[in-house]
Amino acid sequence: MFYREAGQFKTTYAADQQIFPIRQDRLGMLLLLAVAFFFVPALLSEYWLKAILIPFLIFSLAALGLNILTGYAGQLSLGSAAFMAVGAFASYNFMLRIDGMPILLAFIGGGVAAALVGIAFGLPSLRIKGFYLAVATLAAQFFIVWLLTKVGWFSDYSSSGVITAQDMEILGYRFVSPEAKYLLVLSIVVVLALLAKNMVRSSVGRAWMAVRDMDVAAEVIGIRIMHTKLLAFAVSSFYCGVAGALYAFAYLGTVEPEGFSLDLSFKILFMVIIGGVGSIAGAFLGAAFIVLLPIALDVVVQQWLSGLLAPSVSSNLQLIVFGGLIIFFLIVEPHGLARLWQIGKEKLRLWPFPH
Amino acid sequence: MSGRTSGDVILDLQNISLRFGGVKALTDISFNVREHEIRAIIGPNGAGKSSMLNVINGVYHPQEGRIVFHGEERRKMEPHKAAAQGIARTFQNIALFKGMSVLDNIMTGRITKMHASFLEQAIHFGRARREELEHRQKVEEVIDFLEIQHIRKTPVGRLPYGLQKRVELARALAAEPTMLLLDEPMAGMNVEEKQDMCRFILDVNDQFGTTIVLIEHDMGVVMDISDRVVVLDYGKKIGDGTPDEVRSNPEVISAYLGVSH
Ligand SMILES: Nc1ncnc2c1ncn2[C@@H]1O[C@H](COP(=O)(O)OP(=O)(O)O)[C@@H](O)[C@H]1O
Ligand SMILES: [Mg+2]
């Protein structure tokens, strides 16, 4: 099948403003969803679902959240993991303290709690930018983890703040098997990704990008800077919050505040950088890359390089490759894998003619 | 170009003074703008012209003076409120949104006219969907008017300078402003681009009745298209009148027209 726009003339603005204006993209997306919903759970092993696909989806969601804030609205944050922690602990407490709390509502509640905390920690962004803002979000990262560990109420007074997520049940159906959990996570992530895509192609998304690219001009056009930035913090933190709730409920089962450390925040930031700053698809590509890379490296090391590398090198190989890639993407292709994918498509569109 | 009808005073600036620390950018400046006129502000570099525009649309707040817009005295006004009242502008140094396409840049110009809530936009339903289409229609009219159909989907960063200036004008026009502030819209353009830009400015003024406040260095252009001219020098007003009056004002000649820039 050829990847061509030619012949697909848009006769209405509605056709031109569809979520995926090119027919092949539309079909590709439907195919991808069909595979993800029907074939993947049937064909892949439990290990793949549990240890790879579920975390991949959850990290994609968190990266999507950070990408809204950093990639679209231009506000750097190092606190994504802390907002995930807020989502996880808030959902846990909603389930714990409210009788008959529906699980989906608890997830939404977790997201809303994270959004409120996100707004509070986004307030400095009204005065400071760039590096200094990053430091302010770093403060959020440490403060929130500290608070969740220190105040026993959040973890129902368990030792060192460990919480065990409650069972997930919707309309009497309990999500226990890896297939069921995977499908639940997938559904939530697909819906939220769709909403994000709609946001970034509407006036709210344009306002975010305007503030990112040139805030003085944005304000002169009539954009309310404060409102726009805080909305970005809220939406971003909501996404991270829901991701955190899923991380606890659908992936690990048991989490502690320390699990949402600065390391995790950086990991999510790397996903955004490698996947593509300011791209929805980029969040997924980046998450896939970072979830799969260690596995691929393990295989490579064990199959081909065993004995060749000193143990100290092979155990740090992952970090070395990560570091190298980050530098590569920052310098060579700041728009990440998503941009490479785009270039590939443009080439394909013109293929077989070079220009 | 007198003979064109211009109406009542819609913007009256009275005794405006603006300081940045010790720097006096504007000192006791008064002038007015009439409905539907093209009002030029000229003066050497650093005279305070850009600062004047920034005062008009609320980016800078003068320490002294009164601003009366449409008969109402304005207190400290934020730029986005000025936008909501129908004041749009372009910048001396292009201030487009670099990461966005031409179309998206121009669409942002209509942001004060879009009212769908953020949740409606997220589900892209009802009012949000309708608004995107309606405003796209309007934006396409502006695109046609400025003859930039061919670059609609291009990221603005890839455009040559002259076209970027035109896109910036498009973004301002998309807001359907009643008053348009243009800060050196022709700076750095070649003769042909300047002619195009002049034509667009006159057409905007003619067809939409937009009042225009224009900063421009090219004296030929200024004398050609403006109805009245204010001359600033070192933050002070040294001349105000029709192009002919200004041209023959001795103080202006010695301070500005006499020296080459
Ligand atoms: N934001 C600012 N901060 C400090 N000084 C400023 C600022 N904006 C303008 N000025 C000063 O005000 C004076 C007038 O500048 P400007 O209005 O840009 O002049 P023009 O547009 O006529 O060249 C200059 O001395 C300039 O340095
Ligand atoms: Mg200037």
Side-chain angles (χ1 to χ4, degrees), chain B residues 47 54 76 91 125 226:
Chain B
N54 281 326
K76 258 195 171 179
F91 292 81
F125 190 73
S226 45

Side-chain angles (χ1 to χ4, degrees), chain B residues 19-238:
Chain B
R19 287 181 301 274
F20 296 102
V23 180
K24 287 183 174 172
L26 300 169
T27 310
D28 196 27
I29 292 188
S30 303
F31 70 95
N32 61 36
V33 180
R34 292 180 178 279
E35 188 159 22
H36 195 203
E37 77 175 332
I38 298 185
R39 185 73 150 125
I41 303 177
I42 63 171
N45 275 330
K49 305 180 297 297
S50 298
S51 301
M52 199 67 240
L53 289 198
N54 281 326
V55 165
I56 294 176
N57 77 334
V59 177
Y60 293 164
H61 299 130
Q63 281 84 4
E64 280 143 51
R66 280 166 32 102
I67 303 172
V68 182
F69 186 55
H70 283 299
E72 260 178 57
E73 178 166 1
R74 226 168 67 173
R75 290 282 153 204
K76 258 195 171 179
M77 179 193 268
E78 297 307 319
H80 67 86
K81 296 233 178 75
Q85 292 194 356
I87 303 180
R89 76 172 285 185
T90 65
F91 292 81
Q92 183 171 351
N93 304 308
I94 295 171
L96 287 169
F97 307 126
K98 292 240 158 36
M100 299 160 71
S101 69
V102 168
L103 186 61
D104 279 345
N105 263 277
I106 306 175
M107 283 291 277
T108 56
R110 296 198 64 79
I111 219 147
T112 56
K113 296 183 161 36
M114 301 179 80
H115 305 292
S117 72
F118 138 78
L119 283 176
E120 286 169 297
Q121 296 179 42
I123 52 176
H124 198 69
F125 190 73
R127 185 163 56 155
R129 199 183 146 81
R130 228 174 23 248
E131 277 189 346
E132 281 289 313
L133 287 174
E134 279 168 21
H135 291 281
R136 171 75 186 272
Q137 188 82 43
K138 279 279 173 207
V139 162
E140 289 292 339
E141 285 169 27
V142 175
I143 288 177
D144 286 345
F145 180 79
L146 292 179
E147 300 159 17
I148 46 178
Q149 298 90 337
H150 58 295
I151 51 166
R152 220 188 246 115
K153 298 279 174 81
T154 313
V156 291
R158 286 197 210 158
L159 295 174
Y161 182 82
L163 275 180
Q164 291 198 15
K165 282 259 178 197
R166 210 187 282 185
V167 174
E168 211 189 356
L169 177 62
R171 185 180 66 186
L173 286 182
E176 297 180 79
T178 54
M179 179 176 281
L180 183 59
L181 315 177
L182 302 174
D183 198 342
E184 305 198 13
M186 288 165 246
M189 287 186 166
N190 62 33
V191 177
E192 199 180 324
E193 288 171 328
K194 275 189 187 177
Q195 280 172 353
D196 281 345
M197 190 52 96
C198 270
R199 178 165 56 87
F200 290 133
I201 293 172
L202 287 171
D203 283 353
V204 168
N205 181 252
D206 254 16
Q207 293 182 23
F208 311 136
T210 313
T211 308
I212 292 173
V213 181
L214 165 85
I215 296 175
E216 185 45 55
H217 271 304
D218 187 321
M219 291 313 288
V221 168
V222 171
M223 296 303 165
D224 259 9
I225 71 172
S226 45
D227 297 301
R228 291 191 299 157
V229 183
V230 183
V231 191
L232 302 184
D233 190 27
Y234 292 110
K236 299 207 175 75
K237 184 171 101 169
I238 58 168

Side-chain angles (χ1 to χ4, degrees), chain A residues 50-70:
Chain A
K50 236 175 20 192
I52 296 172
L53 287 175
I54 290 178
F56 153 68
L57 287 168
I58 293 171
F59 285 134
S60 299
L61 190 59
L64 186 53
L66 180 60
N67 218 342
I68 286 174
L69 184 64
T70 303

Side-chain angles (χ1 to χ4, degrees), chain A residues 13 16-17 198 204 206 213, chain B residues 99 121-122 132 136 140 153:
Chain A
Y13 297 132
D16 196 37
Q17 294 189 174
N198 281 337
V204 51
R206 288 190 292 267
D213 286 349
Chain B
Q121 296 179 42
E132 281 289 313
R136 171 75 186 272
E140 289 292 339
K153 298 279 174 81

